[in-house]
């Protein structure tokens, strides 16, 4: 995981970088001591690897244009004509998705294979909601992935998910409006706000910046970026106590609040998930958008009002910090339900979906960041769209998801951030509440 491709000069940036790197290193080491990165696989999966029918639970990957899930299933069934895959469309919101799925699996049912968030391995591994794939797949398979991804899917020395696509936060902007106003792409939050206010005052757009502030996981992702930019962090180095109660955390949240109170971002930001912010940008209503990689292809799909007018850049940071700003790491893995009867066919499907054909399709047709190392470094893929061309320049911050209690940690963040954006909490009070809720979450059987 390239946590800090850009070496910052500020001490705070270096400290965050060092901690993030340390966490990644621990994860890599634990992956290597298991089936994850090094040792051989031992288990023989049940079922027939080239025959049968399987169900695949997956949320929509994009919000308009062709459905990548169907495109990939059709191609897989051509390659394996005796395996039928039935798609079960999962909820869009990652929290609702997880709640529905965990209820089904705990009750003894659920799909065979599911596309699950990169933040799930600790919780799902600790509660037997996913099969440890490293029991069946050895290092020759895990070595096909871009660096760091397998470590991120590892919990307690077992790999629970096969990385399917990676997400990173990006800044999307209107090329036409910046050019008309004689502006460069902003590299600081302060510049972004002043560019936004200018375009709004000229009536070129209704909003300056749209992002995710609803009461859900996405609000944690966006806040992680502001927090890391300001030099703050969520947990202490050991991961057993909150470290969020800091001047940096309050600065980050005060800035986020000011986006809404100044009118740069819509009043409705406290209800915005990815879809609402995407729709506002695609309708031509906003100068800037924070969203994941797929947003480029969605902004260029038919029905969009901004076709040919969109550029993409790494995230901005606060004035005085080294550029670029932090991008949160997201993405989705493929997991196997422990109740699945045809694990052999599940694995055939997973291997194909993480192989060259599927990964190239995901990258070139849907602007997803491929997890397959060879596909990611292919120049055809890099030339396919501007998002893939700049992936190597982003600076990444992960969410603190190594604890099985991550859902509670994240809720402590997003519910309080949302309270501020909705106008019911002050930034300082929100950080204090988040601090005590995070401490409760990690002390109740956290790391
Ligand atoms: C994207 C990311 C995922 C994140 C979610 C939040 O789907 O890939 O990791 O949790 O957005 O909305």
């Amino acid at each position: 995981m390239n946590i800090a491709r850009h070496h910052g000069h500020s001490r705070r940036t270096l400290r965050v970088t060092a901690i993030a790197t340390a966490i990644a290193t621990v994860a890599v080491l634990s992956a290597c001591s298991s089936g994850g990165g090094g040792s051989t696989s031992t288990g023989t999966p049940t079922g027939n690897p080239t025959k049968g029918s399987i169900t695949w639970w997956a949320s929509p990957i994009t919000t308009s244009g062709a459905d990548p899930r169907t495109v990939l299933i059709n191609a897989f069934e051509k390659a394996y004509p005796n395996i039928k895959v039935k798609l079960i469309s999962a909820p869009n919101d990652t929290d609702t998705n997880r709640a529905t799925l965990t209820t089904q699996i705990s009750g003894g049912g659920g799909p065979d294979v599911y596309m699950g968030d990169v933040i799930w391995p600790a919780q799902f591994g600790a509660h037997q909601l996913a099969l440890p794939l490293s029991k069946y797949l050895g290092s020759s398979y895990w070595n096909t992935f871009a660096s760091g991804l397998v470590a991120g899917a590892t919990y307690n020395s077992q790999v629970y998910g096969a990385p399917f696509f990676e997400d990173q936060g990006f800044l999307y902007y209107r090329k036409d409006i910046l050019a008309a106003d004689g502006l460069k792409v902003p590299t600081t939050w302060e510049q972004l706000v002043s560019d936004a206010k200018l375009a709004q005052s000229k009536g070129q757009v209704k909003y300056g910046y749209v992002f995710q502030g609803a009461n859900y996981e996405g609000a944690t992702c966006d806040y992680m970026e502001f927090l890391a930019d300001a030099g703050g962090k969520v947990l202490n180095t050991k991961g057993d106590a909150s470290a969020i109660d800091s001047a940096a955390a309050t600065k980050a949240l005060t800035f986020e609040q000011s986006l809404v109170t100044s009118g740069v971002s819509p009043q409705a930001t406290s209800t915005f998930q990815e879809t609402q912010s995407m729709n506002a940008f695609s309708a031509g209503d906003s100068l800037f958008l924070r969203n994941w990689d797929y947003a480029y292809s969605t902004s260029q799909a038919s029905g969009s009002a901004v076709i040919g007018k969109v550029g993409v850049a790494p995230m901005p940071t606060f004035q005085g910090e080294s550029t670029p700003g932090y991008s949160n790491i997201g993405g989705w893995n493929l997991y196997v339900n422990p109740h699945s009867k045809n694990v052999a066919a599940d694995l055939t499907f997973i291997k194909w979906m993480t192989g060259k054909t599927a990964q190239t399709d995901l990258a070139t047709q849907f602007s997803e960041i491929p997890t397959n190392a060879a596909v990611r470094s292919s120049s055809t893929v890099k030339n396919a769209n501007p998002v893939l061309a700049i992936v190597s320049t982003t600076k990444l911050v992960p969410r603190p998801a190594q604890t099985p209690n991550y859902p509670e940690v994240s809720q402590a963040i997003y519910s309080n951030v949302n309270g501020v954006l909705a106008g019911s909490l002050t930034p300082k009070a929100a950080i204090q509440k988040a601090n005590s809720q995070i401490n409760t979450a990690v002390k109740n059987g956290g790391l």
Side-chain angles (χ1 to χ4, degrees):
M1 193 172 309
N2 202 344
I3 304 267
R5 296 177 173 115
H6 257 250
H7 294 287
H9 298 296
S10 93
R11 288 185 55 206
R12 275 183 307 183
T13 308
L14 287 176
R15 195 172 64 225
V16 172
T17 305
I19 291 165
T21 309
I23 292 168
T25 308
V26 169
V28 171
L29 290 176
S30 63
C32 288
S33 62
S34 72
S39 73
T40 49
S41 53
T42 49
T44 307
T46 55
N48 184 329
T50 55
K51 203 169 163 16
S53 49
I54 60 178
T55 49
W56 181 36
W57 167 278
S59 53
I61 296 170
T62 52
T63 47
S64 66
D67 188 332
R69 300 168 301 179
T70 323
V71 169
L72 293 175
I73 289 175
N74 290 344
F76 171 76
E77 289 182 343
K78 277 212 181 89
Y80 288 93
N82 296 322
I83 302 181
K84 291 282 157 260
V85 181
K86 185 170 171 258
L87 173 69
I88 308 171
S89 193
N92 232 325
D93 170 348
T94 181
D95 305 316
T96 316
N97 185 338
R98 181 183 54 209
T100 319
L101 195 59
T102 51
T103 307
Q104 287 182 15
I105 300 175
S106 314
D112 293 302
V113 176
Y114 55 92
M115 187 179 100
D117 206 316
V118 292
I119 51 180
W120 294 358
Q123 182 201 0
F124 280 53
H127 298 288
Q128 288 81 47
L129 295 164
L131 216 58
L133 298 182
S134 38
K135 237 176 102 184
Y136 305 107
L137 300 168
S139 52
S140 61
Y141 175 66
W142 300 115
N143 288 342
T144 61
F145 292 96
S147 124
L149 297 175
V150 174
T154 300
Y155 173 69
N156 253 351
S157 306
Q158 294 290 341
V159 190
Y160 284 92
F164 183 39
F165 59 86
E166 186 184 346
D167 277 337
Q168 297 181 13
F170 288 96
L171 178 71
Y172 295 89
Y173 58 90
R174 287 283 301 278
K175 289 193 287 198
D176 54 331
I177 297 178
L178 290 188
D181 294 351
L183 297 168
K184 288 193 294 207
V185 182
T187 56
T188 65
W189 287 115
E190 291 81 358
Q191 187 63 44
L192 175 141
V193 165
S194 102
D195 296 352
K197 286 181 174 164
L198 178 69
Q200 285 177 289
S201 72
K202 287 182 162 186
Q204 291 161 309
V205 278
K206 206 159 149 194
Y207 306 119
Y209 183 55
V210 285
F211 64 100
Q212 294 80 47
N215 193 18
Y216 83 122
E217 180 65 25
T220 296
C221 300
D222 287 33
Y223 181 68
M224 286 305 300
E225 294 168 351
F226 292 119
L227 178 68
D229 289 344
K233 54 186 184 146
V234 176
L235 297 180
N236 67 0
T237 317
K238 275 173 73 189
D240 61 359
S242 171
I244 206 168
D245 195 359
S246 63
T250 310
K251 172 181 172 175
L253 195 46
T254 305
F255 175 76
E256 205 174 332
Q257 175 190 44
S258 75
L259 289 169
V260 177
T261 52
S262 66
V264 163
S265 299
Q267 280 299 318
T269 298
S270 61
T271 65
F272 270 28
Q273 298 196 357
E274 285 84 355
T275 310
Q276 289 76 24
S277 42
M278 185 77 237
N279 289 348
F281 187 74
S282 291
D285 285 343
S286 184
L287 178 59
F288 299 112
L289 161 75
R290 184 271 177 210
N291 206 344
W292 309 103
D293 20 270
Y294 76 85
Y296 184 77
S297 77
T298 302
S299 75
Q300 302 306 297
S302 79
S304 164
V306 294
I307 294 174
K309 298 178 176 169
V310 176
V312 58
M315 296 297 291
T317 189
F318 290 110
Q319 227 159 50
E321 301 293 340
S322 62
T323 58
Y326 280 93
S327 293
N328 184 232
I329 306 169
W332 292 76
N333 299 329
L334 295 171
Y335 300 82
V336 174
N337 182 344
H339 308 303
S340 178
K341 299 277 182 296
N342 195 351
V343 174
D346 298 342
L347 296 175
T348 302
F349 178 62
I350 288 179
K351 282 193 267 185
W352 190 86
M353 294 291 259
T354 52
K356 277 193 184 163
T357 306
Q359 291 286 307
T360 305
D361 285 353
L362 268 174
T364 56
Q365 293 182 43
F366 305 104
S367 66
E368 290 295 353
I369 303 173
T371 53
N372 183 294
V375 174
R376 191 181 285 204
S377 58
S378 130
S379 49
T380 325
V381 166
K382 283 198 235 163
N383 291 334
N385 73 55
V387 179
L388 299 169
I390 63 165
V391 165
S392 62
T393 67
T394 54
K395 187 161 74 183
L396 302 177
V397 58
R399 281 164 278 170
Q402 289 296 325
T403 159
N405 286 0
Y406 174 71
E408 290 78 26
V409 172
S410 182
Q411 191 179 17
I413 300 171
Y414 67 69
S415 63
N416 292 303
V417 167
N418 177 261
V420 170
L421 299 178
S424 61
L425 279 174
T426 63
K428 197 148 182 57
I431 295 298
Q432 279 164 3
K433 275 183 78 180
N435 188 55
S436 80
Q437 290 165 357
I438 291 167
N439 274 329
T440 307
V442 286
K443 282 187 183 126
N444 285 342
L447 283 177

